[in-house]
Amino acid sequence: MKLTMKDDALNWYKDELDLEKGDHVRFFVRYGGCSNVQKGFSLGVAKDKPQNAGATAELEGITFFIEESDIWYFDNHDLHIDYNESVKEPEFHYE
């Protein structure tokens, strides 16, 4: 699977999580919420170091990743993170 992110979304994460070059950000599966790929689950986000990354994207020296144990959630889809200007936050697309 691929993990991609638009520049506006990257800037949002940098501001909200106070990210710097060398930081790591994990997208993880959490119970509850709403998703287009897995009912009853959603994605959480945390500053964390990878243990066994299944997908990564390095942008401006910041590593965004998904652990191998959470890859099932994506059901053979790639994760594309865009920025929704109207709500001023990132938006997940599964393709």
Side-chain angles (χ1 to χ4, degrees):
M1 84 161 284
K2 290 183 183 177
L3 170 60
T4 60
M5 184 180 301
K6 299 272 182 122
D7 289 342
D8 288 348
L10 170 63
N11 290 331
W12 187 91
Y13 282 109
K14 285 170 51 177
D15 290 343
E16 289 296 313
L17 299 176
D18 195 28
L19 298 174
E20 300 177 347
K21 191 175 189 177
D23 284 339
H24 298 81
V25 177
R26 178 182 178 195
F27 294 99
F28 62 92
V29 178
R30 62 184 187 165
Y31 184 72
C34 179
S35 142
N36 294 335
V37 291
Q38 299 291 342
K39 291 188 185 266
F41 295 92
S42 60
L43 282 183
V45 180
K47 285 174 87 170
D48 197 5
K49 294 214 180 221
Q51 302 298 311
N52 187 24
T56 62
E58 186 175 320
L59 304 159
E60 295 184 17
I62 301 165
T63 302
F64 294 86
F65 70 97
I66 300 161
E67 287 288 351
E68 185 68 39
S69 60
D70 287 333
I71 294 292
W72 65 269
Y73 170 83
F74 298 93
D75 194 30
N76 295 315
H77 293 85
D78 293 329
L79 175 61
H80 301 285
I81 305 169
D82 203 351
Y83 183 76
N84 184 323
E85 186 65 42
S86 63
V87 294
K88 306 279 190 233
E89 62 185 37
E91 185 172 74
F92 300 128
H93 298 281
Y94 306 96
E95 299 175 6

